[in-house]
Amino acid sequence: MLELITYTSSKSSTRDAIDIPEYHQVYVNKKSIRMSEHYQSMATGLRPELSFEVLAIEYNGEQEIRYNNKHYKVIRVFEKDRRITELICQGLVNKGSGQ
């Protein structure tokens, strides 16, 4: 299971703009990164780490996920068919596990 992350803009008590994360848990099928995907991404400076299959009706264009308490950026989305969407993800350095 992973969490899709969306952000809602708000204001802090000091009126600073802040983004509040909202987490939506979904069931996924974790897959290995294919060698062709790995080399194609490396050529463009990306480092794919994880691949997931998620039900297409549950994915709404989120650009970040949390899996095993680690944050990842979605670097590629592939619609396999009308039911399944594949997400290729790369780890984010600046996100802590406490979020």
Side-chain angles (χ1 to χ4, degrees), residues 4-15:
L4 299 169
I5 305 171
T6 56
Y7 291 92
T8 303
S9 295
S10 186
K11 298 269 185 192
S12 70
S13 59
T14 59
R15 310 283 297 151

Side-chain angles (χ1 to χ4, degrees), residues 2-90:
L2 67 74
E3 296 168 292
L4 299 169
I5 305 171
T6 56
Y7 291 92
T8 303
S9 295
S10 186
K11 298 269 185 192
S12 70
S13 59
T14 59
R15 310 283 297 151
D16 294 324
I18 57 171
D19 290 329
I20 300 170
E22 295 177 20
Y23 300 91
H24 174 68
Q25 290 186 340
V26 295
Y27 289 99
V28 295
N29 180 25
K30 183 177 179 233
K31 300 183 68 179
S32 297
I33 297 292
R34 293 180 305 277
M35 275 301 212
S36 60
E37 179 75 40
H38 176 77
Y39 287 116
Q40 288 171 357
S41 296
M42 292 292 284
T44 60
L46 300 173
R47 291 183 291 286
E49 295 178 40
L50 297 174
S51 175
F52 300 97
E53 289 179 336
V54 62
L55 291 176
I57 61 171
E58 296 198 275
Y59 180 70
N60 294 306
E62 292 88 351
Q63 293 299 302
E64 285 186 33
I65 67 164
R66 182 166 65 180
Y67 180 73
N68 286 341
N69 249 357
K70 184 176 177 190
H71 285 249
Y72 295 88
K73 177 181 177 182
V74 177
I75 59 174
R76 191 174 85 75
V77 177
F78 175 71
E79 293 183 21
K80 293 183 77 169
D81 56 40
R82 292 179 187 247
R83 297 181 321 112
I84 303 294
T85 298
E86 184 175 329
L87 308 176
I88 309 297
C89 303
Q90 172 178 311

